[in-house]
């Protein structure tokens, strides 16, 4: 339902490297600094307000404090809470009722000689044991695969903590889906799993937290702070917009002259887009986007 309402997932032009490269360029152009290979040890605070962060250089082992009136964390609410050392910070329930981590799954990247999916959305697999869906991102950006090839990414759940068994279950699904083409015309590039505090999704849809925390000046972004209706990459991006809306929200003390004469305070432009109409789902059902020309 959410895909019909919001549209199919998008692919960044140029892939993840283009996104991180542009982010780095903008930070440096604005006079910012980028510190790599640093372990976050502590979110410094006085019990009520954040004052900075303490980091340790992975190569030298040296520790350093960065003083700041605002800290934005994307490592998840639970890990952020532990770094503050303050009880009562917001966290999320990462444990399912059966005791297993909610955030767990496995992804397989495949290179195919043939186009398998004729659109830019998700192909849901209804009769497989592990694989839930497959996307073909090279439909959106041909640079993501060599000429004449197609990039596929599968998404699957993990039913046990035995990673090797889960990987073999993925291979079994792929053999079931593609038959003799698997291993000949369709080859595995990489397999990667996420679980525990590693993304993709740290919170189930609808159980996300808000950007604010119990510490003034400490805010959250990322895949546990996504607005309703979004998921994965789109959800992370919209969590940043939600934070910007929070920071831009007017406070009564910001406009005392308007409050004094009874005039409403100016409403800042919202960064988070308004929720699409429910009727938009009918548009995707009746007039879906055309197949990619190269499919």
């Amino acid at each position: 339902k959410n895909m019909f309402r919001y549209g199919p997932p998008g692919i960044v032009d140029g892939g993840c490297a283009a996104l991180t490269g542009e982010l780095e360029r903008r930070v440096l152009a604005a006079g910012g600094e980028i510190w790599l290979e640093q372990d976050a040890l502590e979110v410094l605070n006085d019990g009520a307000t954040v004052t900075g962060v303490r980091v340790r250089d992975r190569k030298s082992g040296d520790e350093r404090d960065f003083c700041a009136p605002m800290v934005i964390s994307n490592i998840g609410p639970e890990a952020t809470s532990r770094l503050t050392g303050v009880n009562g910070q917001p966290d999320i329930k990462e444990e399912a009722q059966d005791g297993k981590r909610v955030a767990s799954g496995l992804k397989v990247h495949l290179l195919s000689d043939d186009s398998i999916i004729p659109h830019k959305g998700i192909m849901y697999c209804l009769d497989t044991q592990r694989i839930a869906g497959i996307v073909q991102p090279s439909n959106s950006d041909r640079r993501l695969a060599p000429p004449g090839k197609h990039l596929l990414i599968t998404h699957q759940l993990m039913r046990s903590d035995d990673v090797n068994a889960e990987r073999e279950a993925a291979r079994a699904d792929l053999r079931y889906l593609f038959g003799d083409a698997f291993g000949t015309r369709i080859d595995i590039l990489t397999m990667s799993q996420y679980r525990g505090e590693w993304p993709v999704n740290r919170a189930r849809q609808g159980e996300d937290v808000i950007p604010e925390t119990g510490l003034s000046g400490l805010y959250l972004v990322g895949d546990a702070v996504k607005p309703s209706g979004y998921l994965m990459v789109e959800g992370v991006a919209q969590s940043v917009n939600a934070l910007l809306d929070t920071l831009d929200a007017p406070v009564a003390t910001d406009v005392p002259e308007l409050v004094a004469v009874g005039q409403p305070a100016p409403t800042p432009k919202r960064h988070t887009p308004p929720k699409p109409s429910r009727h938009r789902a009918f548009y995707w059902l009746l007039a879906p986007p055309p197949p990619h020309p190269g499919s």
Side-chain angles (χ1 to χ4, degrees):
K1 181 180 72 173
N2 282 336
M3 187 185 76
F4 286 136
R5 189 169 182 178
Y6 288 85
I11 303 295
V12 177
D13 188 17
C16 294
L19 181 62
T20 55
E22 178 63 14
L23 177 61
E24 177 182 11
R25 186 191 68 79
R26 293 199 178 200
V27 169
L28 297 177
E33 298 180 6
I34 298 177
W35 289 67
L36 303 177
E37 299 186 20
Q38 307 289 316
D39 289 323
L41 302 178
E42 183 181 354
V43 175
L44 305 174
N45 64 89
D46 60 10
T49 304
V50 70
T51 57
V53 292
R54 176 169 296 147
V55 301
R56 178 175 55 215
D57 189 287
R58 292 179 183 175
K59 292 183 177 179
S60 67
D62 295 336
E63 296 185 9
R64 173 172 177 171
D65 290 352
F66 289 92
C67 297
M70 180 187 297
V71 173
I72 300 174
S73 171
N74 74 336
I75 62 174
E78 186 175 311
T80 302
S81 176
R82 289 199 300 270
L83 290 182
T84 66
V86 178
N87 294 328
Q89 288 297 299
D91 58 7
I92 57 176
K93 297 179 180 179
E94 287 192 296
E95 300 291 336
Q97 291 182 355
D98 61 359
K100 294 184 182 298
R101 292 278 185 178
V102 171
S104 63
L106 190 145
K107 295 172 63 177
V108 184
H109 290 73
L110 304 150
L111 192 63
S112 174
D113 292 345
D114 306 304
S115 176
I116 304 299
I117 303 175
H119 53 74
K120 300 179 182 180
I122 303 172
M123 181 179 76
Y124 291 100
C125 305
L126 303 181
D127 56 352
T128 48
Q129 297 299 311
R130 291 292 195 278
I131 294 176
I134 306 178
V135 295
Q136 189 166 296
S138 52
N139 284 353
S140 299
D141 188 345
R142 289 299 309 153
R143 292 172 294 177
L144 299 179
K149 303 285 186 176
H150 304 270
L151 175 65
L152 298 170
I153 304 177
T154 73
H155 301 269
Q156 75 176 64
L157 58 89
M158 293 179 64
R159 293 180 175 173
S160 72
D161 293 328
D162 188 335
V163 175
N164 290 329
E166 295 301 320
R167 290 188 173 198
E168 184 50 44
R171 293 187 183 95
D173 271 353
L174 292 170
R175 285 191 289 269
Y176 169 76
L177 287 171
F178 302 125
D180 294 339
F182 179 58
T184 56
R185 300 185 63 81
I186 301 176
D187 297 307
I188 293 178
L189 295 176
T190 64
M191 277 189 174
S192 60
Q193 65 275 352
Y194 59 91
R195 49 186 177 164
E197 293 182 355
W198 289 93
V200 174
N201 297 313
R202 291 190 175 97
R204 294 190 236 183
Q205 186 72 21
E207 295 185 1
D208 302 273
V209 301
I210 59 176
E212 300 99 318
T213 69
L215 287 176
S216 176
L218 177 61
Y219 298 93
L220 303 171
V221 295
D223 52 18
V225 200
K226 54 189 179 295
S228 174
Y230 294 94
L231 72 163
M232 301 183 75
V233 174
E234 291 83 359
V236 173
Q238 292 306 328
S239 77
V240 177
N241 281 333
L243 170 62
L244 294 176
D245 288 338
T246 298
L247 297 179
D248 288 347
V251 181
T253 54
D254 293 339
V255 284
E257 70 283 357
L258 296 180
V259 175
V261 297
Q263 297 180 6
T267 302
K269 179 181 178 181
R270 285 183 56 82
H271 299 272
T272 305
K275 183 174 291 189
S277 168
R278 295 180 180 178
H279 299 295
R280 188 181 180 191
F282 293 105
Y283 171 80
W284 290 103
L285 287 172
L286 298 175
H292 189 272
S295 301

